[in-house]
Amino acid sequence: MMKRLPGFFQMARLFDLFEEGVMLILTLLIVVIAGTSLVHVVVAVGRMVLTSGLNPTSPEVLQGIFGMFFTVLIALEFKHSILVLPDAQPHSMIRMRSVLLIGMLATVRKFIVIDLKEVDVMELLALSAAVLSLGIVYWLVRAPTPGASAPTTPDE
């Protein structure tokens, strides 16, 4: 069938080049965002230490700091999801796992920065359901396929 489609391989290669270009541009943008976010985290923590003294027992301070940390981690995970094994055959599964992890990170970040005094019970329930659902899907994607042989050890 491929022989009947003139130029199919040239179009496929052109699309691969386009995809690589898009990944390069997105990677550069994410690096800029992650770097800028990191600078903001360093400046914010520096200001806290210099002006008010970093009070690690204050939940508001910890929520703010860890929220900023998670923002940087999420940006780095986005970069990883773009660059992970682009030439590997099952790369779509690997990217799906990465996207699921990003969703879990974002939801956990929301749990960390949420103000429990002003939280709606339905919002908390929805966040919990989201984490549980993402975790189940991640587990299902990671589970070995039925009939696949277990990895052997060198001793066997």
Side-chain angles (χ1 to χ4, degrees):
M1 179 176 172
M2 295 295 172
K3 292 180 181 179
R4 286 187 255 159
L5 297 173
F8 176 78
F9 292 112
Q10 288 84 11
M11 289 298 293
R13 181 65 186 139
L14 184 63
F15 183 75
D16 287 342
L17 289 172
F18 172 74
E19 185 179 25
E20 288 175 18
V22 169
M23 288 192 307
L24 177 66
I25 291 169
L26 287 176
T27 300
L28 292 173
L29 291 174
I30 290 172
V31 166
V32 168
I33 291 170
T36 305
S37 298
L38 180 62
V39 169
H40 283 272
V41 170
V42 169
V43 169
V45 171
R47 283 184 185 160
M48 282 187 225
V49 169
L50 293 175
T51 59
S52 62
L54 187 60
N55 185 2
T57 59
S58 171
E60 294 83 17
V61 170
L62 287 178
Q63 284 175 331
I65 291 171
F66 287 137
M68 289 186 283
F69 286 175
F70 267 92
T71 301
V72 175
L73 289 175
I74 290 168
L76 292 175
E77 191 60 36
F78 267 119
K79 182 199 68 68
H80 176 73
S81 73
I82 290 173
L83 293 179
V84 68
L85 299 175
D87 295 330
Q89 182 65 20
H91 71 282
S92 61
M93 271 304 198
I94 294 170
R95 285 188 181 156
M96 182 177 21
R97 290 182 199 139
S98 186
V99 168
L100 290 168
L101 285 174
I102 291 168
M104 285 190 277
L105 271 173
T107 310
V108 167
R109 181 196 176 279
K110 180 69 175 174
F111 271 118
I112 289 174
V113 300
I114 200 166
D115 185 7
L116 293 177
K117 295 174 187 167
E118 299 180 16
V119 69
D120 181 22
V121 175
M122 292 307 289
E123 181 182 0
L124 198 58
L125 181 63
L127 287 171
S128 301
V131 169
L132 182 63
S133 300
L134 288 168
I136 289 170
V137 171
Y138 186 78
W139 179 76
L140 288 172
V141 170
R142 285 189 55 122
T145 57
S149 62
T152 58
T153 60
D155 296 336
E156 294 178 353

